[in-house]
Amino acid sequence: MRHTRWLLLLCYFILSLQSCSTKTIESDLYVQSISALAGTRAVVDLAPYIVDTEILPVAEDEIVFSGISKMIVGDYYFFLSGGVVYRMCKDGNNIVKVGNVGRGPGEYVSIKDLAFSQDGKELWCMDALNSILRYDASTLEYIGQVSMNIEDGYARAIIPLSNNHFALYYPNPSDSDLGHDNINFYCLKEYDLCGKEIRSSMKWSGFNAMAAFSVPMSFSDNHIGVLAPESS
């Protein structure tokens, strides 16, 4: 009787751990579709929605950074311009480049998206080959690189998750997969910091046309990611 009781308790404990683990993973990749045009209304006066406004000219040594495609805010402003990442103080001064253009450690040819790790300590930059370059967000020291399989297609956005995992957003399958009938491809793929694929979500349905739009990933202040497919 005693052995049976301990066996039942052990089984309950294992099931409890599995339940907790599953809930955590599912919450990271939970996706909800929203039709923006069906739920919006015209607003003429934006004053009730704006707490404060400050204009900072983005320039350094008489060079103006135009075409900024994304900006994220921590202790500094980090912004992406022309495939290069820069850091700027919140007073608009002391603009420095993050990493260098090249093919060595910590270097890149072109950055497509950037994000903070969920604890805010690291800056993650996704290059044109689906690699994630990791930098210390305070010192800008290069930490390392995570490489993913380019055969999955070209990713367009990086999404930080818990436990230092992240997801990449692939608008379309690779060209070699597009010719297959009934293609089974998922647009969100979760990875760990070794580049191992953990799971996938958001099945492709042929609507994410590649086009020259801005980076499709943004975040609210409570770490909810908003992903806008590039065709709409």
Side-chain angles (χ1 to χ4, degrees):
M1 182 69 180
R2 179 183 300 176
H3 294 298
T4 302
R5 182 181 302 172
W6 279 110
L7 182 60
L8 290 173
L9 287 174
L10 179 61
C11 292
Y12 176 79
F13 179 71
I14 293 174
L15 289 173
S16 298
L17 288 178
Q18 289 177 341
S19 175
C20 292
S21 176
T22 301
K23 288 180 180 178
T24 301
I25 293 174
E26 287 179 350
S27 66
D28 285 341
L29 284 180
Y30 170 71
V31 179
Q32 178 184 3
S33 296
I34 299 174
S35 178
L37 295 180
T40 57
R41 59 186 178 87
V43 175
V44 177
D45 183 13
L46 294 178
Y49 305 96
I50 300 175
V51 177
D52 190 17
T53 301
E54 182 180 7
I55 297 177
L56 297 176
V58 182
E60 183 78 1
D61 296 332
E62 299 184 359
I63 300 176
V64 178
F65 295 90
S66 60
I68 295 176
S69 58
K70 186 169 185 178
M71 177 177 286
I72 56 177
V73 182
D75 293 333
Y76 300 88
Y77 291 137
F78 290 88
F79 63 90
L80 181 59
S81 175
V84 180
V85 181
Y86 298 91
R87 186 183 74 177
M88 178 178 68
C89 293
K90 290 189 174 180
D91 59 3
N93 295 320
N94 299 322
I95 299 176
V96 296
K97 183 166 58 176
V98 179
N100 291 295
V101 175
R103 296 186 179 274
E107 298 178 340
Y108 48 83
V109 176
S110 179
I111 296 297
K112 296 188 293 183
D113 194 17
L114 66 159
F116 292 121
S117 58
Q118 207 168 71
D119 60 11
K121 295 181 179 180
E122 293 186 15
L123 176 69
W124 292 346
C125 302
M126 182 183 70
D127 70 6
L129 298 177
N130 296 351
S131 296
I132 307 301
L133 284 78
R134 302 167 55 200
Y135 300 92
D136 186 291
S138 298
T139 65
L140 301 186
E141 180 182 355
Y142 174 64
I143 298 173
Q145 177 175 308
V146 186
S147 298
M148 269 62 64
N149 190 354
I150 197 68
E151 293 180 359
D152 288 335
Y154 290 97
R156 287 286 290 128
I158 178 174
I159 306 160
L161 304 174
S162 61
N163 299 322
N164 272 334
H165 288 193
F166 60 90
L168 295 186
Y169 167 57
Y170 298 86
N172 287 302
S174 62
D175 292 338
S176 60
D177 290 330
L178 279 173
H180 297 167
D181 295 333
N182 300 321
I183 186 169
N184 190 22
F185 181 83
Y186 291 87
C187 297
L188 286 180
K189 299 180 186 293
E190 178 184 350
Y191 303 91
D192 62 17
L193 287 183
C194 294
K196 178 183 177 182
E197 183 176 333
I198 305 299
R199 59 175 297 179
S200 56
S201 182
M202 193 175 171
K203 189 172 183 179
W204 182 77
S205 59
F207 60 84
N208 292 326
M210 288 292 283
F213 292 103
S214 60
V215 175
M217 193 70 213
S218 58
F219 285 90
S220 65
D221 56 0
N222 56 357
H223 297 293
I224 294 179
V226 180
L227 180 63
E230 296 184 342
S231 59
S232 61

